[in-house]
Amino acid sequence: DAMVIQNPRYQVTQFGKPVTLSCSQTLNHNVMYWYQQKSSQAPKLLFHYYDKDFNNEADTPDNFQSRRPNTSFCFLDIRSPGLGDAAMYLCATSGNTEAFFGQGTRLTVV
Amino acid sequence: AQSVTQPDIHITVSEGASLELRCNYSYGATPYLFWYVQSPGQGLQLLLKYFSGDTLVQGIKGFEAEFKRSQSSFNLRKPSVHWSDAAEYFCAVGNTGGFKTIFGAGTRLFVKA
């Protein structure tokens, strides 16, 4: 049973056109994360929510925003995608043991 | 600052041979250590984790890892590799419960027949 679900699995967007990626969880974890993973690189933490408290990593571009309307859902908004934003975006949650990851959304910018 | 180093970008082993993937970490407190595996185009699956206690931990798919505090290492091992083990392996360190897990650069495993 999927515990962290990301939609869509593949997203194509135009250069400069806002795009939203979705994540939901059935684990009822307090913490949710968004990671960016470029080809052949490690996942890089963009930001996380602890309950409703939003925490941005220092080097996350302003172009990336997030919303968490409730415990189960979290969204990643890219306001003006550039070619350099093409990547796999991973959503994760954590509770008392380890981080659980979704299958990721592969974003292509054309 | 917290960091994870995986010195091998890629490793090739023959099917049936043993495997060891290296991982070194830098962490100010007692680390929570993880190994994740990622198949192409997929998310990250947890293989095993170390929080405390026995320094040799067993994971899924026949993997094990040994925590060595004196060497700041957490190497992953498997006695006999299967072709299906070909994937990218990430060592990671986090706070309690995997909070703000950070990852090493990964090691790509190739398995030859």
Side-chain angles (χ1 to χ4, degrees):
Chain A
D1 294 335
M3 295 177 286
V4 182
I5 302 165
Q6 293 188 242
N7 286 303
R9 290 292 311 279
Y10 302 92
Q11 176 75 56
V12 180
T13 191
Q14 292 180 336
F15 183 94
K17 183 175 181 181
V19 65
T20 295
L21 309 182
S22 301
C23 177
S24 63
Q25 57 134 340
T26 60
L27 297 162
N28 205 33
H29 283 163
N30 291 334
V31 191
M32 294 188 75
Y33 310 85
W34 281 103
Y35 286 82
Q36 179 193 62
Q37 186 181 24
K38 295 189 176 181
S39 183
S40 300
Q41 295 184 22
K44 177 179 178 297
L45 183 62
L46 294 174
F47 26 61
H48 75 274
Y49 273 95
Y50 198 110
D51 291 328
K52 288 189 175 295
D53 293 332
F54 176 73
N55 297 272
N56 209 25
E57 293 301 300
D59 56 354
T60 298
D62 292 339
N63 197 27
F64 292 87
Q65 305 286 320
S66 185
R67 295 171 284 132
R68 189 179 186 186
N70 54 54
T71 299
S72 300
F73 286 86
C74 195
F75 301 98
L76 171 63
D77 301 308
I78 308 177
R79 292 191 297 185
S80 181
L83 298 178
D85 297 326
M88 174 78 89
Y89 290 88
L90 296 164
C91 175
T93 73
S94 67
N96 296 322
T97 54
E98 71 268 11
F100 293 83
F101 286 81
Q103 290 295 295
T105 295
R106 170 73 65 186
L107 179 69
T108 300
V109 182
V110 298
Chain B
Q2 304 166 23
S3 66
V4 181
T5 301
Q6 292 180 249
D8 302 306
I9 297 173
H10 55 78
I11 283 181
T12 300
V13 299
S14 298
E15 190 169 19
S18 63
L19 170 71
E20 182 169 27
L21 302 182
R22 296 182 291 164
C23 173
N24 292 95
Y25 66 90
S26 174
Y27 198 77
T30 300
Y32 289 72
L33 295 160
F34 310 90
W35 275 98
Y36 284 86
V37 62
Q38 186 178 38
S39 297
Q42 301 296 313
L44 295 162
Q45 181 184 23
L46 182 72
L47 286 175
L48 46 78
K49 60 195 176 194
Y50 172 77
F51 292 164
S52 63
D54 192 347
T55 56
L56 184 64
V57 294
Q58 303 297 320
I60 63 172
K61 303 184 181 186
F63 286 92
E64 65 178 27
E66 186 171 12
F67 171 62
K68 292 185 178 180
R69 184 184 298 276
S70 62
Q71 298 176 20
S72 297
S73 69
F74 189 55
N75 294 349
L76 181 71
R77 300 194 293 249
K78 186 170 185 178
S80 178
V81 169
H82 188 262
W83 64 266
S84 61
D85 293 324
E88 187 92 24
Y89 291 81
F90 291 97
C91 182
V93 64
N95 291 311
T96 304
F99 183 66
K100 292 189 69 173
T101 303
I102 62 171
F103 292 85
T107 298
R108 168 73 66 178
L109 174 65
F110 297 95
V111 180
K112 60 182 181 181

